[in-house]
Amino acid sequence: MTSERIDNDHFLSLTDKIETVQGIWDLPLIGAEELDIEHRYQILTGGPAVTLQGVNGCFVQSDAEEMFQLQECFDDNKYQLGSLAALEELKERIVIENIEKNEAETLLEQHKEARKKYLESKENQPKLSNYYPAGGLPQDSVLVVRTAALREFEQKIADEDDKDMKGVKESTRKTDNLLSALTAIAIDDYGYDPESPKSNAPQDIAEAMSKQGISFDPRTIRNWLREGAALLPSKRYKN
């Protein structure tokens, strides 16, 4: 049994048993499957190709407790002498390069001998030795998104929109309260009259703020007071 480190807190214990899995599996995105997804995304969006390769293999999981590391057989590896994949590669080469019959027969005979050695070596080794971690998802795999995952994503977006809207409402409420308070103080302490276009209160407030090291144009303060007056409950202070 071997272990693969998933993150700082989790390890995946791998047994020596080779199993065949079928059906729908989730992608934990901790190995080469993450690179495959990124590569396919870049292809769909016209982005750059993902050339990185995973060293720990490709993983799938059915739930939080069961996870598998996908394996590839050396017989499917065209670089393995004597493999079926190497034979298919050789046949394709013979056709593409239009290799003469005698030379082609020699190459096929060489592969036949390599095949015998490969099978003999395979029989004398544990079954696990005939496999190695897959470099990516199977070529015939189909990517799907679970309906539940789509619903969860939609809900997440909706929750974020609600949160943003609440933040906007809260900010607006605070601004209104501050404008109302400023206008009430201006009326009581600076003699501000919302109905008078020539009130000296904005200038007086600007001078008071300047003494505290804060500089504002009196016209800006006048606009604030007009907005604040419109928020006050007394009708005579509304525009």
Side-chain angles (χ1 to χ4, degrees), residues 182 185-186 189-190 200-218 221:
L182 174 63
I185 294 173
D189 294 344
Y190 290 89
N200 292 327
Q203 180 65 43
D204 295 339
I205 294 174
E207 292 176 357
M209 295 178 69
S210 178
K211 293 178 181 179
Q212 302 301 321
I214 304 173
S215 178
F216 275 106
D217 190 308
I221 297 176

Side-chain angles (χ1 to χ4, degrees), residues 71-90 111 115 118 122 129-135:
Q71 302 288 310
E72 291 182 348
C73 179
F74 280 106
D75 217 6
D76 297 326
N77 189 330
K78 65 181 181 180
Y79 299 107
Q80 172 64 51
L81 290 177
S83 68
L84 292 177
L87 176 59
E88 294 302 318
E89 181 82 0
L90 176 58
H111 176 272
R115 179 68 177 172
Y118 169 72
K122 182 178 178 180
S129 300
N130 296 317
Y131 295 86
Y132 59 94

Side-chain angles (χ1 to χ4, degrees), residues 5-239:
R5 185 172 185 174
I6 297 177
D7 53 39
N8 292 334
D9 301 318
H10 299 87
F11 287 82
L12 174 63
S13 296
L14 301 173
T15 67
D16 296 337
K17 185 179 180 181
I18 297 294
E19 298 184 34
T20 300
V21 296
Q22 297 178 340
I24 299 176
W25 295 79
D26 292 325
L27 302 179
L29 301 180
I30 60 173
E33 73 280 4
E34 180 179 12
L35 299 177
D36 269 9
I37 297 301
E38 178 65 23
H39 180 63
R40 297 192 191 190
Y41 170 77
Q42 294 297 343
I43 290 177
L44 291 174
T45 58
V50 177
T51 57
L52 294 176
Q53 294 183 345
V55 296
N56 294 327
C58 186
F59 299 87
V60 296
Q61 69 180 73
S62 59
D63 52 46
E65 300 297 330
E66 188 177 37
M67 187 180 296
F68 290 87
Q69 182 190 57
L70 299 185
Q71 302 288 310
E72 291 182 348
C73 179
F74 280 106
D75 217 6
D76 297 326
N77 189 330
K78 65 181 181 180
Y79 299 107
Q80 172 64 51
L81 290 177
S83 68
L84 292 177
L87 176 59
E88 294 302 318
E89 181 82 0
L90 176 58
K91 290 180 178 179
E92 184 177 348
R93 176 191 164 197
I94 291 174
V95 173
I96 294 176
E97 298 181 9
N98 195 23
I99 297 177
E100 294 183 359
K101 182 178 179 180
N102 291 338
E103 183 180 355
E105 290 178 350
T106 299
L107 292 173
L108 290 172
E109 187 62 30
Q110 290 175 352
H111 176 272
K112 186 176 180 180
E113 293 299 321
R115 179 68 177 172
K116 289 180 181 179
K117 294 181 180 179
Y118 169 72
L119 293 177
E120 290 175 358
S121 175
K122 182 178 178 180
E123 291 178 357
N124 296 327
Q125 294 180 354
K127 184 178 180 180
L128 184 62
S129 300
N130 296 317
Y131 295 86
Y132 59 94
L137 295 170
Q139 293 295 327
D140 59 351
S141 61
V142 178
L143 296 178
V144 298
V145 181
R146 295 181 186 272
T147 302
L150 289 174
R151 294 286 182 265
E152 182 180 351
F153 178 72
E154 291 174 346
Q155 187 60 50
K156 181 179 179 181
I157 297 299
D159 291 343
E160 290 178 353
D161 289 343
D162 289 343
K163 183 178 180 181
D164 292 341
M165 185 59 66
K166 289 179 181 178
V168 171
K169 291 181 178 179
E170 180 66 21
S171 177
T172 301
R173 184 163 52 250
K174 287 182 179 180
T175 300
D176 289 349
N177 290 340
L178 289 173
L179 289 173
S180 298
L182 174 63
T183 304
I185 294 173
I187 293 173
D188 287 348
D189 294 344
Y190 290 89
Y192 173 64
D193 183 359
E195 297 180 354
S196 174
K198 297 182 179 181
S199 174
N200 292 327
Q203 180 65 43
D204 295 339
I205 294 174
E207 292 176 357
M209 295 178 69
S210 178
K211 293 178 181 179
Q212 302 301 321
I214 304 173
S215 178
F216 275 106
D217 190 308
R219 289 174 295 182
T220 299
I221 297 176
R222 187 180 299 276
N223 290 333
W224 288 347
L225 294 176
R226 286 175 180 171
E227 292 182 42
L231 297 171
L232 294 178
S234 178
K235 291 184 179 180
R236 73 187 188 91
Y237 293 140
K238 291 186 178 181
N239 293 333

